[in-house]
Amino acid sequence: MPAGTLIVIPALNEERRVRGVLEGIGRVVPGVPLLVVDDGSRDATAAEARAGGARVVSHPFNLGYGAALQTGYRYALRQGFGRVLQMDADGQHEPESIPALIAGLDGGADLVLGSRFLTAGSYRPPWTRRMGMRLFGALASLALGRRVSDATTGFQGLSRRALAFYDGPGAFPHDYPDANMIVRVARAGLKIAEVPVRMRDNPTGGSLHVGLRPFVYVAKMIFSILVELSRRLPLPEA
Amino acid sequence: MRFAWEIAAVGFGMALVAALQARAGRLSLGHGAAWTLAGAALLIAGILLGLFCGARAPFTTGGAIVAGLALALALGFGLAHAVALSRLNERVKRLAQEVALLQATAPSRPGASGVPTEAGASQDAAQRKD
């Protein structure tokens, strides 16, 4: 693992799984600094993360997945880290795929997307999610003029340039950043790469997208992609 | 009849303003999407009303203008409120992030933990001597 890499893990009420995730990462990349951003959990997520050897930033209340990620990016920038890998705290992202993300960053990419669909894996989301993933993949591909196989992945690597870009006021949505951010990053001239990663099915079957949320999410994401395409963006600082 | 077209016009205006505010970053994407969709729904409803129920419209021309303006005003206030709410929400979240980052990264202040510092302890001792 190159020096200056921080693994950021946003977590909400993951006391039962976060430690296992940290241990799994430690087995693949021993000694790597880990940051758990506790997004206002009501359980012992923060304590479990500390016990697992991670640094912890705790939001005073729930701010949303996007805000948790941005807190992690800001932490990395202020502590002088040169790059960030982001993973989920529910154990879906397999740590064995971390070297592939690192290799993508080493190859000069600013944003490396861990794609579930570039390799013949066992990850098989429900058909509703699969449809959403395909829709956003198609929209992102159309907007970027190149194929994006997995536009909704949360398993990503970011260069310092990408971190600085995301740190701007209003540059990063606090609720749920997704395919719209890929469009934004690409339009700002940052280099995007996709690498194959493996993911497990969510052990509890839980998801951010339950009830009416998928419909709201789809409407919002289509709207945000259209907004992104209509925006003029300044080039990020190097 | 006229009121139906006013509904459509207000819906169109609302969708346009909401989209432009979201584009400018003054309205959150969630609020932007909701208001744009609501505007589009009003636009479609107004058009359908105008096409199919025009003859049964309950308003006179003057009444339709007043009702249309009232609708536009109410929705304009709602949209302005959503913009203000979005900006406040953004600031609150930014502040909460800063608090969390400071708590995690700032060196602990002497005495903040309740444990006497060296300087504080010697001051206490000096006071006891007096």
Side-chain angles (χ1 to χ4, degrees), chain B residues 79-92:
Chain B
L79 196 53
H81 184 67
V83 170
L85 204 63
S86 289
R87 297 182 74 177
L88 184 66
N89 198 29
E90 170 91 18
R91 286 175 188 167
V92 167

Side-chain angles (χ1 to χ4, degrees), chain A residues 56-61 63 67 70-71 74-75 78-79 167-170 173-175 180 219-220 223-224 227 230-231, chain B residues 18-19 22-25 27-33 36-37 89-90 92-94 96-105:
Chain A
V56 176
V57 175
S58 290
H59 285 168
F61 47 87
L63 299 179
Q70 197 180 35
T71 298
R74 287 195 175 132
Y75 180 94
R78 291 177 194 184
Q79 297 295 310
D167 191 40
H174 281 143
D175 39 10
N180 55 327
K220 198 165 80 178
F223 176 78
S224 60
V227 164
S230 72
R231 270 181 180 155
Chain B
R23 181 178 179 266
L27 195 59
S28 72
L29 290 174
H31 278 141
T36 304
L37 279 176
N89 198 29
E90 170 91 18
V92 167
K93 284 190 170 180
R94 184 105 190 182
Q97 283 178 310
E98 288 301 327
V99 168
L101 283 167
L102 275 175
Q103 280 178 338
T105 57

